[in-house]
Amino acid sequence: MKEKESLFGLGKPNDAYAQYFVGQSYLNPRANNQGVGVANVTFEPGCRNNWHIHHKGAQILLVTDGRGYYQEWGKEAVELHPGDVISIPSEVKHWHGAAKDSWFAHVAIEVPAEGASNEWCEAVSDEEYDKLK
């Protein structure tokens, strides 16, 4: 995947959330309507976000480019490819990001709820991540 081939564009370096990622990610906000936020998030190879929880609100991921992973706390990681859809309920600790050897992009849709917030937790350890293909 190259920037010009990305379905929704690379966007800008995701500096505002860099502290919650291992590696470089890029954010390209696409829409915000009645509290529903839609953004394209692109991860360089090996980039992943920290474990996190969406309190009250939820999130839907639409995979558009590359190869990556999604994992819920206490479960095995799921490999992701273009066309995959992940529906993340509120209160589920999870992470998502690129495979070691592939760029990865998804459209993130924030499902609003009154009093919704995100709780950022610990990074996915290199030891844990290195077990993935």
Side-chain angles (χ1 to χ4, degrees):
M1 179 184 117
K2 297 178 185 172
E3 175 186 348
K4 63 184 176 187
E5 296 170 349
S6 179
L7 186 59
F8 289 103
L10 185 66
K12 296 181 180 179
N14 193 6
D15 295 338
Y17 291 90
Q19 64 186 330
Y20 306 120
F21 284 75
V22 173
Q24 181 65 57
S25 67
Y26 300 86
L27 184 63
N28 193 6
R30 305 303 298 166
N32 192 327
N33 189 342
Q34 295 182 315
V36 177
V38 179
N40 187 64
V41 184
T42 302
F43 302 77
E44 289 184 346
C47 177
R48 68 258 188 201
N49 55 27
N50 289 5
W51 289 98
H52 59 286
I53 303 166
H54 302 282
H55 293 294
K56 297 187 180 178
Q59 188 176 52
I60 299 167
L61 305 178
L62 307 174
V63 179
T64 59
D65 294 291
R67 186 170 70 90
Y69 293 96
Y70 167 78
Q71 185 176 13
E72 293 182 0
W73 190 259
K75 296 183 179 181
E76 294 294 317
V78 175
E79 189 171 319
L80 300 176
H81 302 276
D84 289 339
V85 177
I86 299 292
S87 183
I88 306 165
S90 60
E91 312 307 327
V92 173
K93 188 174 182 178
H94 66 282
W95 70 270
H96 33 103
K100 295 175 210 172
D101 61 352
S102 177
W103 284 79
F104 176 67
H106 62 58
V107 172
I109 302 169
E110 297 298 325
V111 180
E114 188 173 333
S117 65
N118 289 338
E119 177 185 351
W120 289 98
C121 306
E122 68 275 13
V124 176
S125 71
D126 288 340
E127 179 181 82
E128 191 173 17
Y129 181 78
D130 287 344
K131 292 178 185 174
L132 302 172
K133 299 177 200 174

